[in-house]
Amino acid sequence: MDLLNALFSSAPWGPVRIGLHLAFGIALLYWLWLAYQLRQAVHLRHLKRPRGWLLPAAGIVVLAFIAIIAYQATWQLGGTARPRFVAFMQSHDRRQFNPAHWIQRGRILDRHGRVLAESRNRDGAAERVYPYGPVFAHAVGYADPRFGLSGIEATANLALNGSMLDSLDDWGELGRQVLTQSKRPRGQDRVTTFDASLQRFAVDALSAAPGGGSGAVLLLRPADGAVLVMASVPSFDPNRLQAGLFSARDPATPLLNRATQGQYPPGSTFKVVMAAQALERGFSGRLDCPADGYTTSRHYPPIRDHEYYSAQDAGRSWAGHGPLDLATALAKSSNVFFAQLGVLGGHPALAATGERLLFNRSIAFAGGASKALSFQTGRLPSIPKRDRYGLAQASIGQGRVTATPAHLALIAAAIANDGLAMRPRLLRDAEPQTLAQLMSSDTARRLRVMLRRAVRDGTGRGIDTDGLEIAGKTGTAENPHGASHSWFVGFAPASSPSLAFAVLVEHGGYGSAVAAPLARDLLLKAAEQGLL
Amino acid sequence: MAAKGTPTTAEETWALRRPERRLLLSALMIALLGYLMLLGARPKDGFAVQLADWAPLLVFAAAFGAVHGAFVIARFRGDQLVLPTTALLSAFGLLAQVRMGLFGETEPDWMELMLLPVALATLVLVALAGRAGRYAMARRATWFWAGLSLLILGVLFVTGQRFRGAVYAVGFITPTELLKLTLVLFTAGFIDQHLKALSRWRSLLPPLRRLWPLLLVWGLITALLLMQRDLGLVLILAVALLVMLVVGTGQPGYALYGLTLAAGAGAALISLFSHGQRRLAVWLDPFADPTGAGWQVLQGLSGMFAGGLWGEGFSEARPRYAPIAESDFIYSVLAEELGYVGSLLLIAVFAVLFIRLLTLAARARTPFGLMVTTGITIVLAVQTLLNLGGVTKALPLTGITLPMISHGGSSLLTVLASLGLVLAISDGEPVKPRAKATAAKKTKTSSSKAPADRKQRARAPSKGAKAGTGRKT
């Protein structure tokens, strides 16, 4: 026994075991051959001659077995041709030696061919490496045998695994892999629309922003929906996934993709929506905006303009805006004006606007039919008919209305693209698709002028830069969790927009002071690359 | 050597049964090779190999050796291929079960170890008790078998416990396994007793007046089994009944009516049983709920895919990821560890067994023997196909074990008792000691026998010789 134990623990046992395995198979073959050889010797002469149905009956049994073993081959040997099966094994099979874990997945590249994800060999198993670490954690996602797939890794899984057998060569390759048992297909590479340097810049800027350094940036091309930056901070490192990340209730919620799923009060950026509604409904004229604000009932505190509060803080008095037209009110971001405008428009108009601007939806990115990669639009709950104060609050982007950065970027892109929203897309080869006409082209054209004015003369004048011609709307969204969220939403250049964006800095304070400069720096960086 | 079929001394039998011995020894060799592979992985898991670890293999070898010895001593002249095939399939079962740690991780579990010897003893008892035509006694006890079948179900109905969607009697024994033998015996006996009447069809109508007792018993059993949601067993038994009717009476019309009836009943049952519907939905799309309903079959398939063409060998793999791997899904464990090539060889062994059993059925001397052998063959073949089909996702899961390989005492006992009966039938009819002394006297000495039998006997040697030479050239 000791001898046997020594043998089993010794180094040569490996080859010996393989030899035993081989001998086992050969012995089985020998047994079958022997049984065939002895068929005459075991002939039972004392029995009757076989009845006529023997051959067909044996044939049926053999055929049934052949059918089953052939079908088994489509799983056991041709499993890579079943993408959902491979995905199942990659997510749920804990056998470390399962070849599904070794598959050399294709690379994920940015628009310049920089590697965002690739598979490398380590100790015989493929290891997924993300050179940018946390920078693309939400957008590119992860592919991990323990934790499954997310992001583009999930939506492009089929091509990345190379599990599409399109040609005879593909079948030949599968045959080679089966025989040598090295199931290591090189999957196809996927080129994304992302710009790695802009994305990294956005992530760094968000991390350094005031208020704890969390937030989101979405930057896309209005003409075809190509997303250049989809940043969400805080993030996690897909190279070092741990169970704790998925189980712990981390208050920083690093798993949450703030750009696509984060619902925030939009604050003054919602005034863009209200302005679009007013233009569509043919509003022209002025509304009086007194210093003591506007309220729907004396039981509710009046909604005032921010100039009133800054004057109060400085110990001065402020006379109010007086009568304002829409363009000026938007540039000055007058709460009093838009609260009145909303109540004037009424409940059904806001509900219709919400419907037209795609509130309360989940929208898939182009090219990925999977649910794994989509973004939520803002929430605009229906406001009870008698709740006029709620309507006034919603009209200035407070109360129960929320928006996601991706949604506001989509609205900005639609304004930049004559009212037509293109479906955002993350893969270069995904066909550009129209999503919806959010407003008439005339409304979009007039909004472009107004939003340019808001940066040139209005709340965003601090970031006006020669040559960039930025148009946009700041937002400072009050929220019950702390300091106001800082927003800046817009596009550039205003006359012929080539980029649209939404920037959110959680608890960053004034939109004009935090989010707007961040957006300007990002646009400067983009201009360096000739994107503007 | 002309008298090879009827040995008189133990030495003659020893020589006669040489092919069986050779095949048995080869099967033992295969078991030993696999066993060495198994033991080789134990130090890796942190267990040193002890002498006691050899117990399962030694018991296995001793049990099959003893069966062969008993056949030689008893001058048994029945089939020689069924026993070695059974041994080889049991060897696969042994390896897989040792692999799953069913015989105890550190100390041998004697209860488990004694299952195979007990079942093999039953096989020998049945084979020797029923040889030389004595198996025909079972034919007279037709209604005993029907009563026993109903009694088993009745007892189960009162005392049964539900576990994993099936009903078990006290102590996880599955007495319904026994139905696979008792019902076959009842059906064969009944058809044999009314053979003429059942073969006589009035144009397209079966003789329902003679058929109704059979239909009544079957209806009752089917209803009781369905109440316990054992759809798989109902399917196995129904196919066996139909084939036995067709083969016994030579009337293909039974199959026609039966298939129509089965298709209608199947559709009705599926719509009635949510249990069956779920199985069907999982079969059609296991990825709809991959971590729930589809988990088991997908884990099995994942293991097979991991095994690939050649497999990782015993104990390199980790088959415990597949739920209830030791019973229903044992085939996926074997396919994982031995690879596709291994599972191909295993299926070839199954094919050898079933072709042999069909041959024995096709050559049985009496209609009763024919129907019993056919019934047993069909039960085993359908059970095997349903299990393999379920595990490979070729068919919906029916929760049926793989004969001789899956773990399970009642199943093993039933299967080996059934095979014992087949062996007894293959032993043929009573031998007159003087009959083989001189071939010329044969017609005179057997004058006391029935004319039909005499005719057959007189014809047998010449025909056999002719057929033999004809095939060889």
Side-chain angles (χ1 to χ4, degrees):
Chain A
M1 275 308 107
D2 290 341
L3 196 71
L4 213 54
N5 273 317
L7 171 69
F8 290 154
S9 315
S10 68
W13 175 244
V16 169
R17 197 192 56 75
I18 293 171
L20 272 179
H21 190 171
L22 207 67
F24 185 83
I26 292 170
L28 268 174
L29 262 180
Y30 169 76
W31 190 94
L32 288 169
W33 176 81
L34 192 63
Y36 180 75
Q37 286 296 306
L38 294 177
R39 73 193 185 285
Q40 290 299 334
V42 296
H43 192 68
L44 297 161
R45 296 186 184 179
H46 56 274
L47 293 184
K48 275 175 71 169
R49 290 191 62 204
R51 293 170 174 84
W53 49 258
L54 174 60
L55 261 170
I60 290 172
V61 169
V62 169
L63 274 180
F65 275 123
I66 288 177
I68 284 181
I69 199 91
Y71 185 70
Q72 184 188 335
T74 68
W75 292 91
Q76 190 161 10
L77 306 179
T80 37
R82 297 174 181 270
R84 292 209 288 174
F85 183 46
V86 171
F88 171 82
M89 290 189 290
Q90 284 171 346
S91 320
H92 299 300
D93 191 2
R94 289 175 293 157
R95 296 171 184 85
Q96 288 298 314
F97 62 89
N98 190 323
H101 302 315
W102 308 342
I103 288 176
Q104 296 277 307
R105 284 168 75 82
R107 296 176 301 169
I108 298 175
L109 308 169
D110 90 334
R111 54 194 287 270
H112 294 299
R114 281 172 289 209
V115 176
L116 308 182
E118 67 179 331
S119 288
R120 289 182 195 152
N121 272 324
R122 204 181 66 175
D123 306 334
E127 188 189 33
R128 199 71 169 154
V129 179
Y130 301 91
Y132 283 82
V135 172
F136 279 102
H138 298 104
V140 168
Y142 50 81
D144 188 279
R146 288 163 301 166
F147 305 114
L149 306 165
S150 78
I152 289 175
E153 291 273 33
T155 53
N157 187 41
L158 215 141
L160 289 168
N161 273 337
S163 49
M164 291 187 293
L165 295 173
D166 293 333
S167 67
L168 209 62
D169 283 353
D170 293 343
W171 282 99
E173 171 62 16
L174 180 67
R176 189 193 64 76
Q177 287 158 11
V178 164
L179 271 180
T180 58
Q181 251 183 15
S182 76
K183 291 169 189 158
R184 296 189 180 195
R186 260 210 85 89
Q188 295 160 18
D189 291 348
R190 273 291 173 261
V191 182
T192 62
T193 55
F194 296 124
D195 187 302
S197 57
L198 288 181
Q199 172 95 5
R200 169 162 278 168
F201 180 85
V203 168
D204 290 348
L206 282 173
S207 309
S214 57
V217 171
L218 203 104
L219 179 74
L220 76 167
R221 273 205 301 261
D224 63 358
V227 175
L228 292 142
V229 172
M230 188 161 93
S232 174
V233 179
S235 183
F236 56 94
D237 189 350
N239 294 308
R240 285 186 207 75
L241 290 180
Q242 270 152 10
L245 179 67
F246 299 91
S247 54
R249 303 293 303 153
D250 188 345
T253 58
L255 277 178
L256 176 71
N257 186 343
R258 288 164 162 74
T260 58
Q261 315 295 324
Q263 296 282 359
Y264 300 92
S268 300
T269 54
F270 195 73
K271 288 169 186 161
V272 178
V273 173
M274 296 310 296
Q277 174 186 315
L279 289 172
E280 291 282 280
R281 293 168 65 86
F283 173 86
S284 64
R286 289 158 184 270
L287 295 172
D288 187 40
C289 301
D292 52 356
Y294 167 79
T295 185
T296 53
S297 151
R298 59 188 172 79
H299 300 296
Y300 297 115
I303 292 167
R304 298 178 195 270
D305 284 320
H306 59 94
E307 287 89 346
Y308 169 86
Y309 295 105
S310 35
Q312 201 180 40
D313 288 350
R316 289 181 282 110
S317 68
W318 180 61
H321 285 304
L324 286 179
D325 64 359
L326 183 61
T328 317
L330 192 65
K332 289 187 183 300
S333 194
S334 168
N335 291 335
V336 179
F337 179 91
F338 281 96
Q340 292 182 75
L341 186 69
V343 174
L344 211 62
H347 290 86
L350 186 63
T353 303
E355 185 69 22
R356 185 144 193 218
L357 294 189
L358 307 175
F359 275 83
N360 308 320
R361 306 266 176 96
S362 176
I363 296 175
F365 287 99
S370 158
K371 269 185 185 171
L373 211 52
S374 62
F375 68 93
Q376 285 179 27
T377 60
R379 295 198 191 121
L380 188 59
S382 69
I383 300 162
K385 199 92 188 142
R386 58 181 189 287
D387 185 6
R388 294 174 69 225
Y389 191 74
L391 185 61
Q393 272 194 315
S395 305
I396 59 166
Q398 298 288 162
R400 287 167 66 206
V401 58
T402 60
T404 61
H407 188 201
L408 291 183
L410 182 76
I411 291 173
I415 295 168
N417 195 39
D418 285 336
L420 180 65
M422 302 299 292
R423 188 181 287 274
R425 61 199 182 95
L426 304 178
L427 293 177
R428 190 188 62 185
D429 297 332
E431 286 289 311
Q433 287 174 19
T434 59
L435 183 60
Q437 185 81 34
L438 299 192
M439 60 196 74
S440 71
S441 70
D442 186 52
T443 302
R445 191 179 45 75
R446 290 168 67 185
L447 269 176
R448 280 206 295 277
V449 175
M450 290 182 191
L451 288 173
R452 172 66 193 134
R453 205 179 133 191
V455 173
R456 200 182 58 221
D457 314 319
T459 50
R461 61 187 172 278
I463 62 154
D464 196 21
T465 314
D466 286 341
L468 284 186
E469 213 191 329
I470 303 172
K473 181 77 199 79
T474 56
T476 308
E478 289 170 23
N479 63 83
H481 307 293
S484 298
H485 296 316
S486 184
W487 279 102
F488 190 62
V489 175
F491 47 86
S495 47
S496 60
S498 52
L499 291 175
F501 56 84
V503 174
L504 164 85
V505 178
E506 280 183 15
H507 310 300
Y510 285 108
S512 55
V514 177
L518 199 160
R520 177 201 53 204
D521 296 345
L522 187 66
L523 289 172
L524 277 172
K525 185 96 177 152
E528 276 174 32
Q529 301 197 18
L531 285 165
L532 280 177
Chain B
M1 292 312 280
K4 222 177 188 176
T6 51
T8 40
T9 62
E11 288 88 68
E12 262 184 60
T13 332
W14 176 256
L16 177 75
R17 297 196 82 83
R18 188 165 168 266
E20 181 179 73
R21 196 159 51 247
R22 282 182 69 188
L23 283 168
L24 263 179
L25 284 172
S26 308
L28 282 180
M29 193 64 206
I30 292 167
L32 177 67
L33 286 171
Y35 212 79
L36 272 175
M37 268 199 280
L38 270 179
L39 289 183
R42 301 216 80 192
K44 205 188 286 175
D45 289 347
F47 299 110
V49 179
Q50 304 160 347
L51 213 55
D53 290 335
W54 291 94
L57 183 68
L58 291 177
V59 168
F60 172 87
F64 276 99
V67 174
H68 179 71
F71 281 172
V72 170
I73 289 167
R75 282 175 281 160
F76 186 64
R77 56 171 194 169
D79 182 73
Q80 304 195 38
L81 207 49
V82 170
L83 184 67
T85 320
T86 307
L88 189 49
L89 289 172
S90 305
F92 275 101
L94 172 86
L95 294 174
Q97 285 167 30
V98 171
R99 177 77 192 87
M100 308 302 297
L102 285 177
F103 294 106
E105 286 278 358
T106 46
E107 276 192 14
D109 180 343
W110 288 103
M111 280 289 282
E112 290 284 343
L113 279 178
M114 291 324 284
L115 271 179
L116 184 72
V118 167
L120 278 175
T122 317
L123 177 139
V124 173
L125 277 178
V126 173
L128 295 185
R131 70 171 166 161
R134 284 197 296 269
Y135 66 87
M137 284 190 300
R139 177 175 167 266
R140 284 179 230 145
T142 305
W143 289 100
F144 167 73
W145 300 120
L148 188 59
S149 305
L150 284 168
L151 188 70
I152 291 169
L153 275 173
V155 167
L156 185 63
F157 211 67
V158 176
T159 65
Q161 318 161 344
R162 194 162 282 280
F163 181 67
R164 278 186 195 146
V167 177
Y168 295 79
V170 186
F172 287 121
I173 298 167
T174 41
T176 43
E177 291 285 341
L178 276 175
L179 290 182
K180 292 172 186 166
L181 186 55
T182 56
L183 263 186
V184 163
L185 283 172
F186 161 70
T187 311
F190 183 88
I191 298 174
D192 193 40
Q193 281 169 8
H194 306 93
L195 197 53
K196 269 200 180 139
L198 291 177
S199 315
R200 202 176 296 130
W201 281 43
R202 237 176 246 132
S203 68
L204 282 174
L205 278 178
L208 280 174
R209 274 182 58 195
R210 289 301 182 86
L211 205 56
W212 71 264
L214 185 68
L215 292 180
L216 188 73
V217 171
W218 274 82
L220 218 66
I221 299 244
T222 307
L224 282 170
L225 279 176
L226 285 179
M227 281 161 96
Q228 297 168 5
R229 290 202 257 156
D230 205 339
L231 291 174
L233 191 55
V234 169
L235 186 60
I236 293 174
L237 293 176
V239 175
L241 168 72
L242 278 185
V243 175
M244 283 163 80
L245 266 173
V246 173
V247 167
T249 61
Q251 277 287 357
Y254 283 113
L256 217 70
Y257 276 104
L259 283 179
T260 320
L261 200 70
L269 284 177
I270 289 294
S271 58
L272 263 166
F273 282 77
S274 63
H275 176 68
Q277 278 169 21
R278 275 200 303 278
R279 291 258 166 111
L280 209 61
V282 170
W283 174 56
L284 289 174
D285 185 11
F287 296 106
D289 183 13
T291 53
W295 180 256
Q296 196 181 16
V297 70
L298 286 177
Q299 276 295 337
L301 289 169
S302 299
M304 288 191 204
F305 177 78
L309 184 62
W310 306 109
E312 297 282 329
F314 280 114
S315 287
E316 280 298 293
R318 294 288 171 272
R320 284 166 210 202
Y321 295 141
I324 42 174
E326 72 274 12
S327 56
D328 300 8
F329 273 73
I330 201 131
Y331 179 70
S332 78
V333 174
L334 286 170
E336 172 179 345
E337 308 214 324
L338 300 175
Y340 187 71
V341 170
S343 59
L344 208 62
L345 290 169
L346 172 60
I347 284 191
V349 178
F350 265 117
V352 167
L353 176 68
F354 292 133
I355 290 173
R356 189 60 180 179
L357 289 178
L358 279 176
T359 311
L360 293 180
R363 299 183 58 189
R365 300 197 73 140
T366 61
F368 180 67
L370 160 71
M371 279 184 284
V372 170
T373 313
T374 309
I376 288 169
T377 310
I378 294 300
V379 162
L380 288 177
V382 173
Q383 189 181 346
T384 307
L385 286 170
L386 279 181
N387 177 279
L388 297 183
V391 172
T392 55
K393 209 194 88 72
L395 300 170
L397 267 185
T398 34
I400 278 170
T401 56
L402 190 58
M404 284 171 278
I405 296 187
S406 288
H407 175 249
S410 8
S411 169
L412 190 68
L413 201 69
T414 311
V415 170
L416 291 191
S418 304
L419 291 179
L421 192 56
V422 171
L423 284 174
I425 293 167
S426 77
D427 188 58
E429 301 311 302
V431 191
K432 299 276 171 184
R434 276 173 297 165
K436 63 164 188 61
T438 45
K441 278 188 186 171
K442 199 170 264 178
T443 39
K444 276 188 181 176
T445 48
S446 54
S447 59
S448 58
K449 293 193 62 99
D453 195 43
R454 184 172 58 198
K455 219 166 109 194
Q456 262 174 13
R457 277 188 173 271
R459 215 169 47 189
S462 62
K463 275 224 168 181
K466 215 189 276 170
T469 49
R471 269 177 213 157
K472 266 181 217 161
T473 45

